[in-house]
Amino acid sequence: MAFTEFRPLEEKSLIEYIKTVPALHSKLGKNLDDIKVKEVGDGNLNFVYIIVGPDGSFVIKQALPYIRCIGESWPMTKERAYFEAVALREQARLSPEHVPEVYHFDRTMSLIGMRYLEPPHIILRKGLIAGIEYPLLAEHISEFMARTLYFTSLLHRSTTEHKRAVAEFCGNVELCRLTEQVVFSDPYKVSEYNRWTSPFLDLEAEAIRKDNILKLEVAELKSKFCERAQALIHGDLHTGSVMVTWESTQVIDPEFAFYGPMGFDIGAFLGNLILAFFAQDGHADQANDRKTCKEWILRTIEETWNLFRKKFIALWDEHKDGSGEAYLPAIYNDPELQQLVQEKFMDDLFHDTLGFGAAKMIRRIVGVAHVEDFESITDASRRADCELRALEVAKLLLKERRKFHAITEVISAIQKFQS
């Protein structure tokens, strides 16, 4: 069976495909008649299969020419698989302990073969819904973000290297435009794709569409998202893009990757933790009031930012005399000036993080593609109450982000809105 042009694969054709690719079938063992295939894609865009053979396993991810959760009425380029494969390999090079290895990429078939993260690995979002705590999460995710963002920025690279890399990822324009639409546009206007917990949040959704201050702030964030090629960002770093155990944290699914503002990644992760925090009350019962889990989530938000900041600055200090051209050593070699530069950079990044995180929170409540944290709360009134408090925090962080100067202040603001 030839695979010289794109077509979606199902179980039978996928097995035939694997048999033609040594980099894949060599992982499974000699008896290829005993391959098991399971489709597990629960995301919005792609098919995902777990492939298990007598002596090994891997995952196959295939991009479709449309958005899977909506259908063929919303076309989407298959080329996103190329950018995902490139990003996975680059991020694995920079943070190998926290990114699964890519075994195979087929651009014609828009298909990636990569390491299967076996149980007990689960999607972080599902673990949070279950009230599970992960003691190493902040340590691991801060390491991933510090290394992938620092080493792909002008703090480490020359402008020549940087522009070449930026140009490569400019081709991922359709995924960037999708983000522009669903994060920075749709929630602030009438859109056929928007939805919310109606009728409980009807007035809130309308208020967002009429909030001119909110719109001004969102416009500034959209401008940064579109114009600032600061570092190679994952582009969709929410709790559904991270797989975890107590000892392991693995970042997956960077198909939205491009060179953009660092705060978009950090904000996406922290914003989704805030959503998980407010969802806990909707999952609480007599056996577990979720109080301990909520306290852990708040600590994780605080530790993630503080550890990221510490590690990022440590990398900057370590390589301050290297090839990075953002702050040339001949100009910025004075220790006092270096400290001033770092403090301003990190303050600006902190405010970007809060703004982008808030925008991501708002879109998950009144836009398209909601989060399972809230959606799995079956009582609509109870769900809406959780969403409303998250929405209030998001609006505060987005509009007042420049007034926050430490992550502890953000934690205090969140606590004021809990039930």
Side-chain angles (χ1 to χ4, degrees), residues 123-332:
I123 295 294
L124 173 58
R125 190 184 304 283
K126 293 184 180 296
L128 294 171
I129 292 169
I132 302 172
E133 300 172 24
Y134 298 97
L136 296 178
L137 178 61
E139 176 69 37
H140 290 169
I141 201 70
S142 62
E143 179 80 6
F144 169 83
M145 293 191 298
R147 293 187 62 82
T148 58
L149 297 177
Y150 173 80
F151 284 114
T152 60
S153 76
L154 279 170
L155 296 174
H156 183 72
R157 286 177 169 172
S158 70
T159 55
T160 302
E161 291 176 296
H162 193 70
K163 288 182 185 298
R164 187 181 301 119
V166 170
E168 167 83 356
F169 275 87
C170 280
N172 206 15
V173 60
E174 281 198 43
L175 273 292
C176 290
R177 286 182 60 80
L178 178 59
T179 300
E180 292 159 25
Q181 176 180 339
V182 301
V183 176
F184 302 111
S185 298
D186 281 357
Y188 307 94
K189 65 185 183 72
V190 175
S191 169
E192 64 179 301
Y193 300 112
N194 288 346
R195 63 181 182 86
W196 51 86
T197 304
S198 183
F200 304 99
L201 297 184
D202 288 358
L203 293 179
E204 287 299 320
E206 182 181 7
I208 286 172
R209 296 195 297 271
K210 293 181 177 179
D211 191 329
N212 289 339
I213 302 301
L214 202 61
K215 290 178 180 179
L216 284 173
E217 296 297 340
V218 166
E220 180 179 323
L221 291 168
K222 181 178 180 180
S223 177
K224 285 188 177 183
F225 179 85
C226 296
E227 298 166 0
R228 187 153 200 212
Q230 199 173 21
L232 177 60
I233 66 172
H234 179 284
D236 201 27
L237 191 54
H238 53 72
T239 52
S241 295
V242 181
M243 295 192 73
V244 289
T245 68
W246 276 21
E247 296 85 21
S248 171
T249 304
Q250 302 289 322
V251 178
I252 60 173
D253 295 348
E255 61 198 321
F256 284 79
F258 78 112
Y259 275 76
M262 296 181 186
F264 192 78
D265 268 6
I266 311 165
F269 187 75
L270 296 185
N272 273 261
L273 286 183
I274 298 173
L275 294 179
F277 171 84
F278 284 108
Q280 293 302 310
D281 287 340
H283 298 292
D285 53 32
Q286 289 184 337
N288 186 352
D289 62 7
R290 298 296 181 102
K291 182 180 179 181
T292 301
C293 186
K294 288 171 67 176
E295 291 171 351
W296 172 79
I297 292 173
L298 292 183
R299 286 199 308 275
T300 300
I301 292 169
E302 182 176 346
E303 290 172 5
T304 297
W305 171 258
N306 286 337
L307 286 168
F308 166 80
R309 190 182 193 281
K310 179 181 178 181
K311 293 174 182 182
F312 191 91
I313 291 176
L315 289 170
W316 191 340
D317 287 341
E318 181 184 352
H319 299 279
K320 67 180 187 300
D321 297 320
S323 57
E325 294 187 350
Y327 300 97
L328 296 173
I331 303 173
Y332 298 94

Side-chain angles (χ1 to χ4, degrees), residues 13 43 50 80 94 104 109 114 135 139 173 201 237 258 278 351 375:
S13 57
I50 296 172
R80 63 185 186 269
L94 297 171
H104 170 71
M109 295 295 291
M114 68 188 87
E139 176 69 37
V173 60
L201 297 184
L237 191 54
F258 78 112
F278 284 108
H351 294 145
E375 295 292 281

Side-chain angles (χ1 to χ4, degrees), residues 320-380:
K320 67 180 187 300
D321 297 320
S323 57
E325 294 187 350
Y327 300 97
L328 296 173
I331 303 173
Y332 298 94
N333 59 350
D334 177 78
E336 184 178 348
L337 178 57
Q338 175 81 358
Q339 185 176 350
L340 289 172
V341 164
Q342 289 179 340
E343 287 177 357
K344 183 180 188 309
F345 185 98
M346 298 310 293
D347 285 348
D348 290 345
L349 180 53
F350 182 60
H351 294 145
D352 283 356
T353 294
L354 298 184
F356 285 123
K360 296 279 277 185
M361 291 170 66
I362 291 170
R363 85 88 156 188
R364 292 293 192 178
I365 298 171
V366 298
V368 68
H370 290 202
V371 291
E372 188 181 353
D373 309 65
F374 290 138
E375 295 292 281
S376 57
I377 301 170
T378 54
D379 184 318

Side-chain angles (χ1 to χ4, degrees), residues 371-416:
V371 291
E372 188 181 353
D373 309 65
F374 290 138
E375 295 292 281
S376 57
I377 301 170
T378 54
D379 184 318
S381 175
R382 194 179 186 191
R383 182 196 322 134
D385 180 64
C386 297
E387 291 174 323
L388 179 59
R389 285 181 281 118
L391 205 54
E392 290 300 318
V393 168
K395 290 190 291 184
L396 173 69
L397 293 179
L398 206 158
K399 291 194 277 190
E400 306 290 340
R401 64 188 181 279
R402 298 171 194 86
K403 295 181 180 179
F404 291 89
H405 300 290
I407 193 67
T408 51
E409 297 172 4
V410 177
I411 300 301
S412 296
I414 294 169
Q415 289 173 321
K416 289 177 182 177

